[in-house]
Structures are given as C-alpha cells and as structure tokens.
Amino acid sequence: MAETDGRAAGPADGLADGPGPRDTPRQWRVTASETPFEGAKTSVRTDHVVMPDGSVATRDYQVHPGSVAVLALDERDRVLVINQYRHPVRHKLWEIPAGLLDVPGENPLGAARRELYEEAHVRAGDWRVLIDMYSSPGGSDEAVRIFLARDLSDAEGERFAVSEEEADMEVARVPLAELVRGALAGDLHNNCLVTGVLALTAARTEGGLDALRPADAPWPARPFEA
C-alpha cells in the first residue's frame, strides 16, 4: 500500500470512481512502530503516525488475523444462532457462527464452512458473500466477512469436541424477523448477528439474495487464493 504525505482526504475522496461513497486505501506515514503485547492469536501495536498538521501522534490498536461469520438461513426463514458467554462484556450473547482465519491467506469460505460445522454441525449447499466490514476500525485492524449460507442440512460424522466457553454453548433457530426486532429493540448486541440480519433484510430489497456477491468474491482486506 502506498504511503501518503499525511494530508487529510478532500471532500471528493471516495466519490470519483462511482455514484456513491466508497472507502479508499490510505496510509499516513509511520515514523516508528512497536509491539508491546503479543498473544496467542492477536497482538497490540503502537504506531507513531504523522498527522495532517505535521505533528506525530501515538496510536495503539489490536492486530488481528481477520474473522468470518455465517448467517445460516433455513427454508423456514429461520437463522441458526448460538448463545455463548463472552467474558469481556460479562454477557451471554446470541450470535451467528464465527471464528478466526487460522493462517494468513486462508480461503475465507473454507474457514466459514469449518465454523458452521464445528459450532452447529451443519453444512450448506449454497454460499454467498453477505457483507464485509471492519469490526472496530478505531482500535483494531480486524476485518470480518459475513457469508449467507442456505440449503442447510445436518453434517455427517461425529460432532466437533468443544471446550471452555463453547462447552456451555446453546444452538437454536430463530425467525429472521424476530432477530431484526431484537436488534432494533436493543436486546441483541453481537456485531456480526446484528449486521448480518439487517444486511440480509436490506439485500432482499436490493436485487434479491441471488444478486449477492459469489462466495469467492475478492476480499482486499484479507487477500486469499481461490
């Protein structure tokens, strides 16, 4: 990614290539970088970044491998959801199956198939890209791809052995409309679930679900080999 001189984006940035706003790659100059913490899956990086006025500011953020999530929709318009304890927020949250990309360059569709199998013991015959997002771009570089999975069936073979928080996990199928109401009422808070059900609802009015991007659509935030 090319460096820039640190100047702020102008009002036309992101609009030149199409009729609506578009996020554009941009990188302000970094004069120094350290990694004060490194965990098993993620780390914390401290960058010294040149601001538009020439000053240098310190920015701490989580370095993340990236994630996938699966909105699995059955023939009765129900979404497969899981209920799992999340210690940082001290809640049991209703979520959709999700997990980390295990290795750099991993095919996200393969990771999504794995998560649907491991967390729900379900496979899907039809896959589409529902939406891509950055989960918390002010404090993390995590990129998330949410897939829409349809044509669901029980997976063959033994169930994946779960442990720790996953040992207490519940699996259910909830009508999509009920999840939308819960999200808008403030009863559901998981970002992938809320984003996924609202995106699915919007997609139905914007060309239909078959117009969604194919499952192997490019993902510039986490490039992969098909």
Side-chain angles (χ1 to χ4, degrees), residues 54-212:
S55 63
V56 177
T58 300
R59 292 291 179 263
D60 301 318
Y61 58 99
Q62 180 193 36
V63 178
H64 195 286
S67 304
V68 294
V70 184
L71 196 152
L73 186 70
D74 71 13
E75 71 284 354
R76 294 170 57 186
D77 216 38
R78 299 178 304 173
V79 176
L80 191 154
V81 292
I82 59 178
N83 191 234
Q84 187 171 355
Y85 176 67
R86 294 300 189 182
H87 187 72
V89 295
R90 309 309 200 265
H91 270 71
K92 285 194 75 175
L93 299 179
W94 286 103
E95 307 178 352
I96 56 177
L100 303 178
L101 297 172
D102 281 350
V103 295
E106 180 178 14
N107 188 304
L109 178 58
R113 293 183 191 273
R114 180 183 67 237
E115 294 303 325
L116 185 61
Y117 168 78
E118 291 182 355
E119 296 191 352
H121 202 63
V122 166
R123 62 185 180 90
D126 184 88
W127 290 84
R128 309 272 174 161
V129 173
L130 180 57
I131 201 163
D132 296 329
M133 65 178 183
Y134 291 115
S135 60
S136 183
S140 173
D141 70 350
E142 180 185 16
V144 184
R145 169 159 281 190
I146 303 178
F147 289 91
L148 172 65
R150 294 179 291 176
D151 187 19
L152 307 183
S153 60
D154 293 335
E156 299 177 355
E158 296 182 3
R159 295 189 66 92
F160 181 78
V162 297
S163 60
E164 300 177 346
E165 290 93 344
E166 291 183 350
D168 189 46
M169 191 167 62
E170 304 170 51
V171 180
R173 297 193 185 196
V174 178
L176 173 65
E178 187 174 326
L179 295 174
V180 171
R181 286 193 295 269
L184 296 178
D187 296 330
L188 300 171
H189 305 89
N190 176 264
N191 60 345
C192 289
L193 181 138
V194 171
T195 300
V197 299
L198 296 181
L200 177 61
T201 302
R204 284 177 161 167
T205 68
E206 291 292 327
L209 302 186
D210 290 336
L212 289 169

Side-chain angles (χ1 to χ4, degrees), residues 9-24 26:
D13 280 21
L15 298 178
D17 296 331
R22 174 179 294 181
D23 295 337
T24 54
R26 179 67 59 90

